[in-house]
Amino acid sequence: MSVRGVAILGSTGSIGKTTLEVITSFPDRFKVVALTAHRNAEELLDQVNRFDPELAVLVDGEPDQASIPSGTRFATGVDAILEAAAHPSADIVVNALVGAAGLEPTLTALAAGKRLALANKESLVVGGPLVMRALAEGGGELIPVDSEHSAVFQCLQGGRLESIRRIILTASGGPFRDRDPAELGKVTPADALRHPTWNMGAKITVDSATLVNKALEVIEAHFLFGMPYDAVSVVIHPQSIVHSLVEFQDGSTLAQLGHPTMSVPVLYALGYPERPPFETQTLDLAEVGSLTFEPVPAGRFPAFEHGRQAGLRGGTAPTVFNAASEEAVASFLAERLPFNGIPSVIGEVLNEHEVQEVTTLDVVRGADGWARERARAVAGTIANKSQRLA
Ligand SMILES: NC(=O)c1ccc[n+]([C@@H]2O[C@H](COP(=O)([O-])OP(=O)(O)OC[C@H]3O[C@@H](n4cnc5c(N)ncnc54)[C@H](OP(=O)(O)O)[C@@H]3O)[C@@H](O)[C@H]2O)c1
């Protein structure tokens, strides 16, 4: 068995660290060849000293040169991430970046013919047509890391894409599933960051509370599996044990189950089609007891509705949905915008948007930049209004 080189983009984040932990268990299968971080120099240096990559990238900042091992080249700036994404020693690129910043590295990795283990769902949301084109032209592989899409991908090993009738994505419902909507204005970032079942980065945790994350995943599934939106449903499943389901034309439904850990989908994306032995908590259904499912309550998660509508509108609407939600979440986490202001910002920016077809990266950049500017302005207005009312 040959050792496969792995580049991890966003190695200092939640998925990045999980990937490094998984790789530690398989020194005979995987070797870290490139690592990237945004600003967390300390964590990156620690990883560099443990994993000895050929390339380490800190997008923003200058590391202490004395602590860099001689075998590692250090680079800074946004373009250096693209260098990591196309690194000649990388067979697999794990895109664990957060947000729209993940799109260009995704395109670069696919154009270079790599296996792309994609956690950065935003790549597909903001530039789905470009990503699928790069996949077709570059001859690489696209394996989802998102647990729901990994579940669908795994279920598909038992059937063909053409025989799917419907994909059913599960959602935990987040920490405010049973909260009175009237109370949501008072929710703090600390409340929103307390996810009931998953331990993840800040952005996705807040997105799980608004169900923006599930809307992003619906759009991700649409592009990844080529499914029309009316064939992608969502069901709330608070225990997060069933990771998603595929209903086939013959009436059979397959599901993938497991305790909520990202190690398993990460390993599957790295090792596919193999399933090497791995020490993780096994599932004892008798111990779990009951698994429950309920529909997404109509009107309860307006940001989710905005996302679905954006998907249906197509073109740059999902790009704008994502950018507006990134800006709204940043304002909320900075304690400027109330939690229930997040869907209002997204809805208002989407209402103002004139959709264009996604044909080039410039179209995506234009829509993304416009949406961020509008979202900051709308968030400012909402924040001022809510301060006056307080
Ligand atoms: N966490 C999960 O369990 C989970 C599950 C499914 C899917 N996902 C998806 O996986 C992706 C990563 O999520 P996460 O929770 O791991 O995020 P995270 O913990 O916030 O980590 C993000 C990583 O990206 C880097 N980064 C942030 N902004 C950047 C920028 N503008 N340019 C370059 N690098 C940047 C960060 O570097 P610094 O540390 O230096 O800031 C960090 O290494 C997201 O798309 C998320 O939706 C996550």
Side-chain angles (χ1 to χ4, degrees):
M1 184 188 357
S2 63
V3 178
R4 307 193 79 193
V6 184
I8 306 172
L9 316 181
S11 62
T12 50
S14 166
I15 293 286
K17 287 185 200 165
T18 300
T19 306
L20 286 171
E21 270 169 39
V22 168
I23 287 179
T24 307
S25 303
F26 296 97
D28 54 335
R29 284 177 186 262
F30 308 114
K31 157 95 183 84
V32 174
V33 297
L35 295 172
T36 85
H38 189 213
R39 294 200 178 105
N40 192 345
E42 199 182 320
E43 179 74 32
L44 181 66
L45 278 174
D46 178 57
Q47 294 178 349
V48 166
N49 281 293
R50 279 166 50 219
F51 291 94
D52 204 18
E54 292 174 37
L55 174 68
V57 175
L58 185 66
V59 174
D60 190 2
E62 275 299 325
D64 171 12
Q65 298 291 333
S67 43
I68 302 168
S70 58
T72 300
R73 194 168 68 75
F74 233 99
T76 58
V78 175
D79 288 349
I81 299 190
L82 305 185
E83 202 186 319
H87 197 283
S89 304
D91 303 293
I92 305 170
V93 175
V94 178
N95 187 342
L97 300 170
V98 64
L103 174 61
E104 279 188 67
T106 282
L107 297 176
T108 302
L110 290 174
K114 308 289 186 192
R115 167 177 292 189
L116 178 66
L118 186 66
N120 179 261
K121 62 193 84 184
E122 296 91 339
S123 292
L124 278 162
V125 174
V126 303
L130 305 182
V131 174
M132 298 321 281
R133 193 163 76 203
L135 174 65
E137 290 174 1
E141 288 175 288
L142 179 48
I143 317 275
V145 167
D146 223 352
S147 58
E148 294 78 358
H149 303 72
S150 174
V152 170
F153 188 78
Q154 292 182 51
C155 292
L156 281 175
Q157 305 309 309
R160 289 202 308 270
L161 261 181
E162 311 80 77
S163 42
I164 300 183
R165 185 185 287 155
R166 192 163 69 109
I167 286 174
I168 303 144
L169 303 177
T170 53
S172 72
F176 310 134
R177 185 170 54 93
D178 298 324
R179 212 44 101 82
D180 177 352
E183 284 177 22
L184 292 182
K186 298 192 196 89
V187 157
T188 65
D191 297 330
L193 290 174
R194 224 172 285 124
H195 193 280
T197 48
W198 292 95
N199 184 11
M200 311 179 283
K203 165 75 168 64
I204 182 174
T205 307
V206 176
D207 284 353
S208 298
T210 55
L211 253 67
V212 159
N213 183 50
K214 213 44 60 179
L216 295 173
E217 289 178 5
V218 166
I219 301 169
E220 180 184 10
H222 162 78
F223 284 111
L224 200 51
F225 303 112
M227 297 301 286
Y229 282 101
D230 60 5
V232 183
S233 354
V234 174
V235 65
I236 291 191
H237 167 48
Q239 298 82 17
S240 303
I241 296 286
V242 177
H243 298 311
S244 279
L245 310 94
V246 177
E247 182 184 309
F248 291 93
Q249 301 283 1
D250 66 358
S252 180
T253 299
L254 297 188
Q256 188 260 338
L257 284 74
H259 284 289
T261 166
M262 287 308 293
S263 307
V264 172
V266 164
L267 174 58
Y268 191 73
L270 294 175
Y272 171 81
E274 291 177 41
R275 289 184 181 274
F278 185 54
E279 284 301 318
T280 188
Q281 189 186 3
T282 49
L283 185 62
D284 179 342
L285 281 176
E287 195 180 301
V288 172
S290 60
L291 300 176
T292 59
F293 302 88
E294 55 197 78
V296 179
R300 181 73 179 72
F301 293 101
F304 173 70
E305 300 301 333
H306 292 320
R308 269 202 91 100
Q309 286 308 317
L312 284 167
R313 276 171 80 190
T316 46
T319 319
V320 164
F321 169 69
N322 177 72
S325 95
E326 282 189 33
E327 291 298 326
V329 170
S331 293
F332 166 67
L333 289 174
E335 300 190 43
R336 290 194 295 270
L337 184 71
F339 181 77
N340 57 5
I342 296 174
S344 310
V345 169
I346 297 171
E348 216 164 309
V349 175
L350 273 169
N351 270 344
E352 292 176 19
H353 182 56
E354 282 177 29
V355 173
Q356 274 179 278
E357 199 185 335
V358 172
T359 47
T360 64
L361 202 48
D362 277 347
V363 170
V364 171
R365 286 193 190 118
D368 179 271
W370 171 86
R372 283 175 197 278
E373 208 179 303
R374 287 303 305 137
R376 283 194 289 267
V378 175
T381 310
I382 295 174
N384 287 340
K385 210 184 281 173
S386 60
Q387 260 168 12
R388 279 202 306 274
L389 293 175

